[in-house]
């Protein structure tokens, strides 16, 4: 293992690279040094690998004993907001895994199935763990619904038909407020206290251009960001001005794959795209007619598929391209 | 370096001509060749800064106090300047050369001649980087003239046409009051003295000047001097390094000034007097940085690099950029604290950052986006992975439908050959995975290896069974020979079993009653050639294992049997035993098997094979106990 961790230190003093045996898609930072990586193999058997990141020694050490098999590629990985021992994955079901350091193993803790009639529920495209109320997870599904889970009781708190088409991503804003994006091209906000109504705060310009990802600015809840299918734009929305985006970040030269707000600052957002670049943007208080330029950039060897900003080490951003994960110092 | 009463003198002179501020830039103590803040006096009213008339109404005290604040501010900047852990400015904040900030004073010093700048607020920020500030403070005219190994900068909110007599007046007043023993023509002295130190400065500035003067329509009293140009040619790599150091310092400078600004927003104008340099540096467009190396001698090692970055457009003055800068300066000034933190954060770590400053048009080494599907993996995750699961769902429905004899929806099966093929493969893979988990000592993951290992494992089990059978056969032969030949070849067939055992064994009926459904499998002991065929029966159904056995009753036998059974780690929740004719009849039922093997229904799909393995194991152990 020591050898492996040395091997993983391909980077210089400001980045660390980990080369996985498999292509990587899912990626998650925990509230500690733990990092989870999900493989993307177009087959039944997939893996979730657990690593430890040490920013002091710039090392990434894999924990093979904590890694586990996953049926089909996980569509998203996410750690419990405060506990690095609980990991959730989505795919056919929402699954909770417990990483046990004591026994050096990972155990499937529970599997959430909201279908009463069969062993299968509609596949999940994404989920979000409520950072204010960790007992809640919201999942988005291709069956146009969003499901809110009560984790302790392993029950469906509520299920909403959220969109007209597949729901592709979901994000919590407050303990009871979440938003979702869909193939129907809309961003909608839901409040669990009033399940009858949702608010459409954005619709893609060409009707039915699917919106693929959504990120809610946890430092300033007025803002969220979304990306469109086959678009190089990151659309910044202000929930106070529905339907009119406050900004289009369009300096990527190919379609955007991932977005993440800075965990510690309210006006910074990072994005990664097919143009192999990861950009960091600072939203100005006044928009310029010529558009907004990113403040800095990083070029990867190939298309960047995933990007996460570490809440534990806010000066580190992780990107995934091909079968590599790279941690970049900001 | 700075005379004690410099501030008073500055105050005196600036008020004597009703101007807004005076700054004395002096040769930096810590960094030779660099101009730094020597002393300053602000002679304005913050709220009514448009009226220069109000200047005299300000009391001396307030004016001096403000100057003191300026001084304090600069002290903090200076501390940062000399602190060893100077960090390079962040890419986020377009690192800018401090010489640029001091460009006007710097050039003055280099040439030893006064420079008169009108319309300071509309000057290109590359010429007078604090023009942005000038704009916000309505400073119209700026004058720089060399004085005492330094430069005095004066500014006013009024449009004042060039008048050397003003400079003369101030110079005289200074000289008179300071009683300094400098020659009457300080500029001339400085000119020679500074030639060395400032050559690189001149190189930057003047090279710039050459480029920009024709394009920018403001008044600069002095245009490029031949001296400066020749200096430019003398610029060496070494000087470039010094230049880098300065850039680093300026980064720190920025950090400090930002902090201070945050604290003293109310004193905005004051602070900006100093920090505007930094801000405008911060916000200066990347082109500016680019054009600096452009001035390099093309033959030096960096030449290639600078050529590569050389973009003719970059030297053009974009009229919009000024507005844009202005907006950004204002927004920077008014930003909330966390943004400043972020800025600091980015700044602090720039030295080690993986990120580089973003440039318009992108760096040349950046790969062109490849042809092919965009967002390939993202789309696969969102569109195809759910389909994989759905395939599993349909597959399972097909199975259920088949079992229940229901019609399968036409659109759900076999419509698409590709889909069904994919489904079949997924199914196969799943089974292989299960098979792999059932057999110990799997060496490799590929399918051939899995099959090889399974074959090997089965052979091994068969051999062991054979050995056991042989042992049993010998004993049986010795004790009794009550088995019929047909029974010896009996196999695990329900019909045969039922037919034969119904006659002999009531327990069989009981099992039937318990309802083994069509998916259940059973294996009976008559796999064993020889006797005691029905002494041990292991049968399984969907979710339980039933062991029925009969053996001669002996003390401790029951415990022995249970011990053997428990060694399989299967929870048995029901044990019935009866003794009759000296024989012990035992029926053991397991709990829900889900906990035993795997939740996956696919275990069952492997059919008799896996269950046979399990049951054979159980049988083997029990036989050993009985015999």
């Amino acid at each position: 293992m020591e050898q492996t961790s040395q091997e993983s230190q391909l980077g210089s003093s400001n980045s660390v690279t980990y080369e996985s045996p498999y292509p990587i898609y899912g990626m998650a930072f925990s509230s500690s040094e733990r990092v989870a990586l999900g493989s993307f193999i177009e087959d039944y058997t997939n893996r979730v690998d657990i690593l430890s990141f040490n920013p002091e020694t710039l090392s990434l050490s894999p924990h093979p004993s904590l890694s586990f098999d996953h049926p089909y590629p996980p569509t998203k990985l996410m750690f419990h907001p405060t506990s690095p021992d609980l990991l959730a994955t989505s795919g056919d079901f929402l699954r909770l895994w417990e990483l046990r350091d004591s026994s050096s193993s990972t155990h499937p803790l529970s599997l959430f199935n909201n279908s009463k009639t069969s062993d299968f529920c509609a596949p999940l495209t994404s989920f979000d763990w409520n950072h204010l109320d960790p007992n809640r997870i919201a999942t988005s599904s291709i069956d146009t619904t969003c499901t809110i889970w009560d984790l302790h009781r392993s029950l469906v708190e509520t299920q909403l038909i959220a969109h007209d088409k597949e729901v592709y991503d979901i994000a919590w804003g407050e303990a009871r407020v979440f938003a979702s994006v869909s193939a129907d091209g809309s961003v909608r906000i839901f409040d669990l206290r009033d399940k009858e109504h949702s608010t459409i705060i954005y619709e893609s310009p060409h009707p039915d251009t699917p919106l693929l990802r959504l990120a809610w600015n946890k430092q300033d809840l007025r803002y969220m960001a979304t990306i469109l299918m086959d678009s190089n734009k990151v659309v910044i929305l202000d929930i106070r001005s529905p339907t009119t985006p406050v900004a289009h970040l369009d300096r990527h030269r190919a379609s955007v794959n991932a977005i993440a707000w800075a965990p510690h600052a309210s006006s910074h957002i990072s994005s990664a795209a097919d143009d192999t670049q990861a950009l960091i943007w600072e939203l100005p208080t006044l928009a310029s007619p010529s558009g907004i330029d990113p403040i800095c950039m990083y070029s990867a060897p190939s298309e960047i598929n995933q990007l996460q900003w570490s809440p534990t080490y806010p000066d580190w951003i992780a990107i995934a391209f091909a079968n590599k994960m790279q941690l970049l110092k900001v | 370096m700075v005379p004690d009463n410099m501030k008073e003198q500055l105050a005196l002179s600036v008020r004597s001509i009703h101007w807004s501020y005076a700054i004395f830039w002096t040769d930096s103590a810590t960094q030779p060749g660099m101009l730094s803040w020597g002393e300053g006096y602000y002679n304005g009213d913050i709220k009514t800064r448009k009226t220069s008339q109000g200047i005299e109404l300000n009391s001396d005290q307030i004016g001096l106090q403000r100057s003191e604040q300026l001084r304090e501010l600069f002290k903090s900047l200076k501390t940062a300047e000399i602190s060893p852990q100077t960090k390079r400015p962040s890419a986020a904040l377009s690192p800018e050369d401090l010489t640029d900030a001091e460009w006007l004073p710097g050039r003055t010093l280099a040439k030893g001649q006064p420079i008169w700048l009108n319309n300071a607020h509309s000057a290109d920020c590359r010429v007078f980087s604090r023009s942005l500030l000038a704009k916000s403070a309505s400073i119209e005219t700026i004058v720089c003239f060399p004085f005492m190994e330094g430069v005095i900068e004066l500014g006013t909110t009024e449009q004042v046409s060039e008048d050397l007599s003003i400079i003369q007046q101030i110079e005289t007043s200074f000289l008179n009051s300071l009683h300094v023993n400098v020659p009457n023509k300080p500029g001339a002295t400085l000119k020679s003295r500074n030639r060395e130190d400032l050559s690189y400065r001149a190189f930057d500035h003047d090279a710039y000047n050459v480029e920009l003067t024709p394009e920018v329509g403001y008044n600069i009293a002095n245009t490029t001097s031949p001296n400066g140009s020749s200096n430019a040619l003398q610029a060496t790599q070494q000087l470039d390094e010094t230049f880098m150091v300065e850039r680093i310092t300026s980064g720190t400078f920025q950090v400090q000034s930002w902090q201070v600004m945050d604290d003293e927003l109310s004193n905005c104008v004051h602070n900006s007097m100093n920090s505007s340099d930094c801000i405008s540096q911060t916000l200066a467009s990347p082109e500016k940085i680019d054009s600096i190396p452009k001035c390099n001698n093309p033959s030096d090692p960096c030449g290639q690099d600078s050529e590569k970055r050389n973009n003719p457009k970059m030297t053009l003055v974009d009229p919009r950029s000024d507005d844009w800068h202005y907006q950004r300066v204002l927004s920077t000034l008014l930003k909330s604290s966390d943004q400043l933190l972020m800025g600091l954060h980015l700044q602090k770590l720039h030295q080690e950052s993986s990120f580089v400053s973003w440039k318009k048009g992108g760096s040349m080494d950046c790969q062109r986006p490849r042809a092919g599907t965009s967002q390939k993996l993202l789309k696969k995750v969102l569109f195809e992975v759910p389909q994989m699961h759905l395939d599993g769902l349909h597959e399972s429905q097909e199975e259920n439908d088949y079992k229940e004899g229901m019609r399968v929806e036409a659109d759900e099966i076999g419509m698409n050959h590709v889909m069904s093929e994919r489904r079949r493969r997924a199914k196969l893979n799943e089974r292989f995975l299960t098979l792999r988990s059932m057999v110990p000592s799997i060496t490799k993951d590929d399918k051939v290896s899995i099959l090889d290992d399974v074959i090997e494992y089965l052979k091994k089990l068969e051999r062991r069974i054979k050995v056991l059978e042989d042992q049993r056969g010998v004993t049986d032969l010795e004790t009794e020979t009550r088995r019929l030949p047909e029974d010896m070849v009996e196999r695990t067939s329900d019909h045969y079993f039922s037919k034969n055992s119904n006659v002999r064994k009531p327990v069989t009926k009981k099992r039937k009653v318990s309802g083994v459904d069509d998916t259940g499998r059973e294996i009976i002991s008559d796999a064993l050639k020889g006797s005691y065929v029905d002494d041990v029966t292991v049968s399984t159904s969907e979710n339980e294992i039933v062991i029925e056995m009969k053996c001669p009753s002996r003390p401790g036998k029951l415990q022995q049997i249970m011990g053997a059974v428990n060694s399989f780690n299967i929870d048995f929740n029901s044990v019935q035993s009866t003794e009759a004719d000296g024989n012990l009849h035992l029926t053991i039922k397991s709990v829900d098997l889900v906990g035993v093997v795997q939740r996956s229904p696919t275990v069952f799909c492997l059919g008799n094979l896996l269950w046979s393995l399990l049951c054979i194991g159980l049988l083997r152990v029990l036989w050993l106990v009985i015999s």
Side-chain angles (χ1 to χ4, degrees):
Chain A
M1 184 151 129
E2 200 171 292
Q3 200 187 352
T4 329
S5 66
Q6 278 169 357
E7 279 168 11
S8 68
Q9 293 178 41
L10 301 173
S12 52
S13 66
N14 52 19
S15 71
V16 194
T17 308
Y18 171 75
E19 190 166 346
S20 162
Y22 340 95
I24 296 172
Y25 181 73
M27 193 161 71
F29 279 107
S30 69
S31 54
S32 75
E33 75 293 333
R34 219 168 246 168
V35 179
L37 287 182
S39 68
F40 187 91
I41 305 167
E42 290 176 80
D43 211 333
Y44 183 78
T45 316
N46 274 264
R47 290 288 285 176
V48 174
D49 286 328
I50 307 296
L51 299 98
S52 279
F53 170 55
N54 185 335
E56 300 299 320
T57 61
L58 290 171
S59 63
L60 268 170
S61 329
H63 295 296
S65 59
L66 290 177
S67 302
F68 54 93
D69 280 334
H70 196 273
Y72 297 111
T75 53
K76 179 161 180 175
L77 305 177
M78 197 170 177
F79 279 95
H80 185 279
T82 53
S83 161
D85 294 331
L86 285 174
L87 178 71
T89 64
S90 60
D92 50 354
F93 301 106
L94 175 67
R95 293 160 197 262
L96 270 188
W97 310 81
E98 188 183 13
L99 313 177
R100 292 182 193 158
D101 267 331
S102 53
S103 58
S104 271
S105 57
T106 298
H107 298 265
L109 207 60
S110 41
L111 182 148
F112 297 87
N113 180 6
N114 64 359
S115 167
K116 292 167 187 70
T117 52
S118 84
D119 287 342
F120 292 85
C121 69
L124 305 174
T125 51
S126 186
F127 69 96
D128 193 22
W129 209 318
N130 195 312
H131 53 292
L132 299 171
D133 179 2
N135 188 38
R136 281 203 180 99
I137 283 184
T139 58
S140 60
S141 166
I142 60 164
D143 69 356
T144 76
T145 67
C146 293
T147 307
I148 313 301
W149 294 92
D150 180 326
L151 299 190
H152 290 158
R153 293 186 291 160
S154 289
L155 287 176
V156 174
E157 184 177 328
T158 188
Q159 185 172 24
L160 305 163
I161 297 172
H163 288 267
D164 303 330
K165 291 187 178 172
E166 291 90 334
V167 189
Y168 287 142
D169 204 1
I170 191 161
W172 287 103
E174 295 165 24
R176 293 183 189 186
V177 179
F178 67 92
S180 58
V181 292
S182 155
D184 67 12
S186 65
V187 178
R188 302 186 193 205
I189 296 184
F190 298 84
D191 190 328
L192 294 180
R193 290 159 291 199
D194 178 14
K195 293 168 196 163
E196 299 301 308
H197 303 98
S198 68
T199 313
I200 296 182
I201 62 154
Y202 177 70
E203 280 178 302
S204 53
H206 305 293
D208 292 354
T209 302
L211 301 175
L212 302 186
R213 285 290 181 240
L214 177 72
W216 202 324
N217 186 343
K218 299 284 193 286
Q219 293 293 321
D220 186 344
L221 288 171
R222 290 172 299 176
Y223 298 108
M224 56 177 85
T226 184
I227 55 175
L228 288 76
M229 189 166 84
D230 299 325
S231 162
N232 70 331
K233 290 189 181 72
V234 177
V235 181
I236 307 291
L237 306 168
D238 184 336
I239 60 170
R240 295 165 303 175
S241 63
T243 72
T244 318
V246 287
H248 286 107
L249 310 178
D250 59 359
R251 298 294 192 252
H252 275 294
R253 285 173 296 162
S255 302
V256 182
N257 288 318
I259 41 175
W261 290 95
H264 59 310
S266 67
S267 64
H268 289 78
I269 186 169
S270 56
S271 59
D274 281 342
D275 64 4
T276 76
Q277 294 188 341
L279 303 178
I280 299 179
W281 313 74
E282 179 177 359
L283 302 182
T285 39
L286 287 166
S288 142
S290 57
I292 298 165
D293 287 336
I295 49 178
C296 55
M297 56 166 276
Y298 173 81
S299 288
S302 64
E303 292 91 338
I304 304 174
N305 297 313
Q306 182 66 276
L307 178 147
Q308 298 283 327
W309 201 322
S310 168
T312 323
Y313 310 110
D315 42 340
W316 288 90
I317 286 180
I319 57 168
F321 51 91
N323 64 339
K324 292 190 181 69
M325 174 184 72
Q326 210 163 47
L327 285 153
L328 306 171
K329 193 150 195 179
V330 179
Chain B
M1 230 29 180
V2 184
D4 291 341
N5 55 348
M6 186 51 135
K7 198 195 299 174
E8 284 75 14
Q9 285 309 312
L10 284 172
L12 200 67
S13 46
V14 79
R15 268 182 280 159
S16 71
I17 55 168
H18 297 198
W19 280 35
S20 300
Y21 72 89
I23 301 171
F24 177 59
W25 300 95
T26 181
D27 209 13
S28 167
T30 49
Q31 276 185 283
M34 192 170 115
L35 287 179
S36 65
W37 178 269
E39 195 54 83
Y41 183 75
Y42 175 68
N43 190 28
D45 186 299
I46 302 165
K47 292 190 175 156
T48 58
R49 59 187 173 229
K50 277 179 188 166
T51 60
S52 58
Q53 204 50 45
I55 289 166
E56 279 189 322
L57 300 177
N58 291 334
S59 73
D60 281 4
Q61 264 192 326
I62 291 172
L64 290 174
Q65 193 185 339
R66 282 194 184 153
S67 307
E68 207 50 58
Q69 283 168 348
L70 290 178
R71 179 73 197 162
E72 290 288 305
L73 169 65
F74 196 76
K75 260 186 202 162
S76 65
L77 301 184
K78 218 160 179 177
T79 316
E81 207 172 286
I82 55 169
S83 70
Q85 65 268 33
T86 42
K87 301 254 167 64
R88 199 175 296 178
S90 151
L93 306 164
S94 300
E96 200 41 63
D97 177 12
L98 192 56
T99 52
D100 255 61
E102 300 171 342
W103 189 2
L104 209 58
R107 200 173 46 216
T108 314
L109 190 59
K111 290 187 202 129
Q113 286 172 334
I115 292 180
W116 198 285
L117 179 64
N118 273 332
N119 297 322
H121 65 282
S122 59
D124 186 89
C125 65
R126 273 169 276 183
V127 178
F128 181 53
S129 54
R130 283 168 292 153
S131 68
L132 296 163
L133 176 75
K135 189 181 232 169
S136 62
S138 307
I139 300 291
E140 287 275 321
T141 309
I142 288 166
V143 172
C144 288
F145 63 92
F147 179 79
M148 260 185 67
E149 300 188 33
V151 173
I152 285 179
E153 180 185 330
L154 299 165
T156 178
T157 52
E158 285 179 342
Q159 188 73 256
V160 181
S161 57
E162 188 172 353
D163 183 2
L164 286 172
S165 65
I166 292 181
I167 297 172
Q168 203 66 45
Q169 182 192 336
I170 293 169
E171 242 178 296
T172 319
S173 88
F174 266 101
L175 287 174
N176 288 343
S177 52
L178 293 172
H179 304 294
V180 284
N181 52 352
V182 281
N184 273 340
K185 288 183 176 177
T189 323
L190 287 173
K191 198 169 179 177
S192 55
R193 182 207 159 284
N194 285 313
R195 182 64 50 80
E196 275 175 20
D197 288 351
L198 295 175
S199 59
Y200 70 93
R201 187 186 311 280
F203 140 68
D204 283 335
H205 296 157
D206 294 335
Y208 243 103
N209 214 5
V210 171
E211 278 174 22
L212 295 171
T213 310
E215 293 163 14
V216 189
Y218 55 83
N219 294 326
I220 298 179
N222 295 287
T223 50
T224 320
S225 72
N227 286 345
S229 297
S230 62
N231 283 340
L233 293 175
Q234 286 160 11
T236 62
Q237 189 62 35
Q238 193 195 346
L239 288 169
D240 252 12
E241 282 164 17
T242 327
F243 172 72
M244 282 307 293
V245 172
E246 275 203 342
R247 288 174 68 165
I248 292 167
T249 316
S250 81
T252 325
F253 192 88
Q254 287 172 3
V255 177
Q256 294 295 336
S257 63
W258 279 42
Q259 274 177 336
V260 176
M261 280 209 309
D262 191 30
D263 296 334
E264 300 184 25
L265 267 178
S266 61
N267 240 337
C268 183
V269 175
H270 269 289
N271 292 334
S272 3
M273 278 298 194
N274 300 282
S275 55
S276 62
D277 286 346
C278 322
I279 306 265
S280 50
Q281 286 167 42
T282 304
L283 302 166
S285 60
E287 291 96 291
K288 201 163 163 188
I289 307 163
D290 273 359
S291 28
I292 291 167
K294 192 184 162 188
C295 307
N296 279 334
N297 185 345
S299 66
D300 82 30
C302 295
Q304 213 178 354
D305 186 38
S306 60
E307 266 176 14
K308 199 167 94 181
R309 282 194 267 163
N310 184 357
N311 183 345
K313 275 185 192 168
M314 290 179 176
T315 56
L316 292 175
V317 176
D318 181 2
R320 278 185 314 172
S321 73
D322 246 13
D323 280 346
W324 172 222
H325 282 168
Y326 182 53
Q327 282 187 340
R328 289 202 64 172
V329 168
L330 287 185
S331 64
T332 308
L333 286 170
L334 302 170
K335 245 169 218 168
S336 59
S337 57
D338 66 298
Q339 282 168 313
L340 284 171
L341 275 176
M342 183 65 195
L344 289 172
H345 183 77
L346 286 172
Q347 174 120 1
K348 195 179 67 183
L349 294 162
H350 174 248
Q351 198 171 9
E352 296 158 357
S353 175
S354 301
F355 288 81
V356 296
S357 181
W358 188 84
K359 292 176 187 68
K360 211 163 218 133
S363 58
M364 301 305 269
D365 57 0
C366 172
Q367 294 178 7
R368 289 268 108 205
R370 265 175 242 163
T373 326
S374 63
Q375 297 170 329
K376 194 172 163 194
L377 199 58
L378 178 57
K379 282 177 185 168
K380 276 187 175 171
V381 166
L382 290 178
F383 308 153
E384 289 182 28
V385 171
Q387 200 55 51
M388 293 178 195
H389 296 302
L390 279 185
D391 293 344
L393 170 65
H394 290 161
E395 174 187 299
S396 145
Q397 278 178 348
E398 279 168 40
E399 282 173 3
N400 289 335
D401 290 344
Y402 176 74
K403 281 176 206 153
E404 292 157 24
M406 281 169 61
R407 192 179 60 85
V408 178
E409 298 259 333
D411 60 344
E412 286 189 355
I413 55 154
M415 288 287 281
N416 184 333
H417 176 72
V418 179
M419 291 297 290
S420 63
E421 176 60 23
R422 189 193 289 173
R423 217 170 295 161
R424 195 185 64 82
R425 266 187 285 125
K427 208 189 283 187
L428 270 176
N429 286 330
E430 200 173 340
R431 305 301 189 273
F432 266 104
L433 197 70
T434 317
L435 192 57
R436 186 191 148 204
S437 69
M438 300 296 291
V439 180
S441 74
I442 289 283
T443 46
K444 289 180 193 160
D445 271 1
D446 66 290
K447 289 170 185 171
V448 176
S449 301
I450 293 174
L451 285 179
D452 282 347
D453 286 340
V454 169
I455 290 167
E456 202 50 49
Y457 184 58
L458 278 177
K459 278 182 181 168
K460 195 168 117 191
L461 287 177
E462 277 178 353
R463 276 198 302 273
R464 294 182 77 164
I465 290 166
K466 188 80 168 65
V467 169
L468 289 168
E469 282 171 353
D470 288 349
Q471 286 172 355
R472 287 296 301 171
V474 172
T475 9
D476 293 346
L477 221 62
E478 285 168 355
T479 51
E480 49 178 333
T481 53
R482 61 185 178 111
R483 292 301 301 165
L484 294 171
E486 306 91 83
D487 293 323
M488 293 188 185
V489 294
E490 246 180 75
R491 285 295 176 263
T492 58
S493 150
D494 281 348
H495 294 290
Y496 272 175
F497 182 85
S498 307
K499 191 177 69 190
N500 292 325
S501 55
N502 263 343
V503 185
R504 287 194 309 268
K505 281 192 65 180
V507 281
T508 313
K509 201 173 180 181
K510 202 161 107 196
R511 184 182 63 238
K512 281 227 166 255
V513 170
S514 75
V516 176
D517 70 22
D518 54 353
T519 58
R521 285 124 197 133
E522 39 187 290
I523 179 165
I524 55 166
S525 62
D526 56 4
L528 170 63
K529 298 187 186 83
S531 62
Y532 294 122
V533 160
D534 48 0
D535 285 350
V536 182
T537 307
V538 178
S539 62
T540 64
S541 65
E542 190 70 64
N543 53 10
E544 63 174 10
I545 295 179
V546 180
I547 302 169
E548 292 159 73
M549 59 188 297
K550 184 184 80 182
C551 62
S553 180
R554 258 176 265 152
K557 198 70 173 176
L558 186 59
Q559 284 81 357
Q560 224 176 336
I561 291 167
M562 289 316 294
V565 168
N566 285 337
S567 70
F568 277 77
N569 282 332
I570 300 173
D571 291 332
F572 290 95
N573 63 351
S574 131
V575 180
Q576 296 174 13
S577 64
T578 48
E579 270 188 69
D581 311 330
N583 279 341
L584 181 70
H585 293 270
L586 204 58
T587 305
I588 306 172
K589 282 183 185 167
S590 75
V591 291
D592 187 0
L593 265 189
V594 171
V596 179
V597 191
Q598 271 187 11
R599 187 177 287 268
S600 167
T602 56
V603 171
F604 294 92
C605 303
L606 272 170
N608 286 332
L609 174 64
L610 296 175
W611 287 109
S612 300
L613 294 175
L614 182 64
C615 296
I616 286 169
L618 269 170
L619 279 174
R620 223 180 78 208
V621 169
L622 292 173
W623 282 327
L624 285 173
V625 171
I626 296 169
S627 57

